[in-house]
Structure formats: structure tokens, C-alpha cells
């Protein structure tokens, strides 16, 4: 019974994706909606992303340095390990899970509140495709999400360099040498492919839970929690699949 319910929800989600791209809202209206979503979802997320990235990069570098106890192991490995950790997993995946909480709860609660207060019904009565009006601007705004992840990568590696150079674990030159060693450009491509797919999930799964919720104000909070859980689970599952496909 539970399996049928999950399959029904997945089918409903894909039907929602199809409906988002039908009957487009007029461009002058859509442009202002997209700019608002860029401000709410991208610009407002930069502060928390920068803060977390800088300090997690530092922690990764310190943990690596503390575990390199053998004097025969070169110190530049600290920079190498920090770069690999930040670019391959931390920036695209860990930040996306955090954004599932920040962006996801905002999207679900804002659309859910519109559902509770019957604003979505009013849009439908006026002949507007409410899914296109509400969700499409979020998808377009989150096309800028790789820009956020690019900043996260830079600050993560920079935080590692600061921790090493000023914490006395190795010299700044050693860290930079490690960060440049055996660099594979495809790893950046892999990270941004993941990021774009995660951006689509961040825009649509919370929107789905907000749009189709039933009840009152209490259910808006419950829908936000459920959307965070399912967005995080989907991101982690897809991360595993994409890693196998692209790097396996």
C-alpha cells in the first residue's frame, strides 16, 4: 500500500514537471518574478554558503594535517586532499543538502501559504497556469546555482590554505602545490553537472510539497519538514548514481 502511494506521488511529481512548461506566463510578468526569485534564493543564500564553506575547508585541512603523522608523507598532500574533498563532494553535495533546508523550506512554506490562503485558486480562476507562474521562475533562478557552488569551492580551498598557513600545519606554498598537483579539469565539470541536477531538485521537490499540500497553517510546517527530508534523500541518492556514471 505504501509502495503504491509513493509511486503515485512520483507520477504526480512528473506530471507537475510537464505542467510547469505549459501555457507560459507573459514575459514582462515572468521577468519580474525571476528577478525576485534570484534575490530570494541565490543572493540571500550567499552569506551562509560563504561562511560554511570557508570554515569547513579549514576543518578538512586541519583534520588531514593531524592525520599525516608519518614524517615521510609530504605536506603538500594536505592541499591535495582539501581540493579533492571540496570540489568533488563538499561544495556540490553538502552545500546542496544545506540549501534543501534553507531554500526548500522557504519555497514550500511560501507556496503552501498561498495554497492555504486560496491565492493559488485565485490564479487558476483568472486563467493563469499557477504551476508555471510559481515554479518556473524558481527553476530559471536556480540556473545560477552553479555560481554559488563555484564561490563555495573557492572559499573552501581558501579556508584550507588559511588554516594551514596560519595554523602552522604546513607552509602556504606547500598547500598551493598540493592544490595544483594532478588536477583533473573534468572534476570541475562533474561537480557542475551534479550542481545543475541538484538545482532542479531544489526548485521542484519543495514546490511539489507546497503546491499539493492540504490543511492549514500547521500542515505548512509539516510540508516544509517533509520536503527537506525528501529533497535531501533524493540529492544523496542521485549523488551516488551520478558519481558511478561520471567517475566510475
Amino acid at each position: 500500500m505504501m509502495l503504491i502511494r509513493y509511486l503515485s506521488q512520483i507520477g504526480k511529481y512528473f506530471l507537475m514537471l510537464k505542467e510547469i512548461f505549459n501555457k507560459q506566463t507573459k514575459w514582462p510578468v515572468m521577468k519580474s518574478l525571476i528577478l525576485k526569485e534570484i534575490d530570494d534564493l541565490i543572493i540571500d543564500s550567499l552569506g551562509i554558503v560563504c561562511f560554511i564553506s570557508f570554515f569547513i575547508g579549514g576543518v578538512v585541512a586541519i583534520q588531514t594535517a593531524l592525520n599525516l603523522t608519518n614524517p615521510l608523507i609530504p605536506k603538500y598532500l594536505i592541499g591535495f586532499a582539501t581540493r579533492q574533498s571540496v570540489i568533488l563532494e563538499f561544495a556540490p553535495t553538502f552545500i546542496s543538502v544545506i540549501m534543501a533546508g534553507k531554500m526548500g523550506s522557504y519555497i514550500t512554506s511560501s507556496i503552501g501559504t498561498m495554497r492555504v490562503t486560496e491565492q493559488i485558486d485565485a490564479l487558476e480562476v483568472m486563467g493563469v497556469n499557477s504551476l508555471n507562474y510559481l515554479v518556473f521562475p524558481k527553476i530559471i533562478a536556480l540556473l545560477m546555482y552553479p555560481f554559488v557552488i563555484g564561490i563555495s569551492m573557492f572559499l573552501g580551498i581558501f579556508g584550507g590554505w588559511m588554516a594551514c598557513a596560519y595554523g602552522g600545519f604546513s607552509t602556504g606554498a606547500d598547500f598551493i602545490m598540493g592544490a595544483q598537483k594532478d588536477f583533473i579539469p573534468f572534476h570541475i565539470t562533474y561537480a557542475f553537472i551534479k550542481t545543475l541536477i541538484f538545482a532542479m531538485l531544489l526548485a521542484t521537490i519543495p514546490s511539489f510539497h507546497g503546491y499539493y499540500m492540504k490543511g492549514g497553517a500547521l500542515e505548512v510546517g509539516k510540508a516544509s519538514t517533509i520536503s527537506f527530508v525528501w529533497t535531501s534523500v533524493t540529492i544523496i541518492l542521485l549523488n551516488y548514481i551520478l558519481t558511478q556514471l561520471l567517475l566510475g
Side-chain angles (χ1 to χ4, degrees), residues 94-229:
F94 186 61
I95 290 292
S96 293
V97 171
I98 293 167
M99 289 299 105
K102 187 192 179 297
M103 287 183 193
S105 58
Y106 166 77
I107 291 169
T108 305
S109 58
S110 62
I111 295 178
T113 304
M114 289 184 76
R115 172 62 76 190
V116 169
T117 55
E118 298 179 350
Q119 293 177 56
I120 292 175
D121 298 329
L123 286 171
E124 295 286 351
V125 167
M126 289 188 292
V128 175
N129 178 355
S130 55
L131 277 170
N132 178 260
Y133 183 88
L134 294 170
V135 184
F136 186 73
K138 293 173 174 57
I139 293 172
I140 298 302
L142 280 166
L143 290 176
M144 291 186 67
Y145 186 56
F147 166 73
V148 175
I149 297 304
I151 291 173
S152 173
M153 288 176 185
F154 169 75
L155 284 174
I157 294 168
F158 180 66
W161 175 78
M162 289 281 284
C164 266
Y166 294 99
F169 296 103
S170 78
T171 64
D174 277 346
F175 184 92
I176 291 167
M177 185 172 83
Q180 293 174 334
K181 192 167 184 64
D182 297 333
F183 176 65
I184 300 169
F186 180 72
H187 286 171
I188 298 284
T189 309
Y190 156 78
F192 282 135
I193 290 169
K194 284 205 303 187
T195 300
L196 278 171
I197 293 168
F198 295 162
M200 185 69 177
L201 297 177
L202 288 169
T204 54
I205 294 176
S207 298
F208 172 80
H209 285 283
Y211 189 85
Y212 291 109
M213 63 147 291
K214 293 182 176 71
L218 181 64
E219 279 72 23
V220 173
K222 287 181 180 176
S224 297
T225 305
I226 292 166
S227 82
F228 166 65
V229 171

Side-chain angles (χ1 to χ4, degrees), residues 17-42:
L17 291 184
K18 176 178 171 288
E19 188 62 30
I20 288 167
F21 298 97
N22 288 339
K23 197 180 172 189
Q24 296 284 325
T25 306
K26 288 179 181 175
W27 173 244
V29 177
M30 184 58 73
K31 184 173 73 170
S32 63
L33 290 171
I34 290 168
L35 291 173
K36 181 182 181 301
E37 296 297 349
I38 288 171
D39 187 46
D40 290 342
L41 299 177
I42 301 296

Side-chain angles (χ1 to χ4, degrees), residues 78-97:
I78 300 168
F80 177 80
T82 304
R83 183 199 75 206
Q84 292 296 89
S85 303
V86 167
I87 289 176
L88 291 176
E89 280 309 312
F90 164 71
T93 308
F94 186 61
I95 290 292
S96 293
V97 171

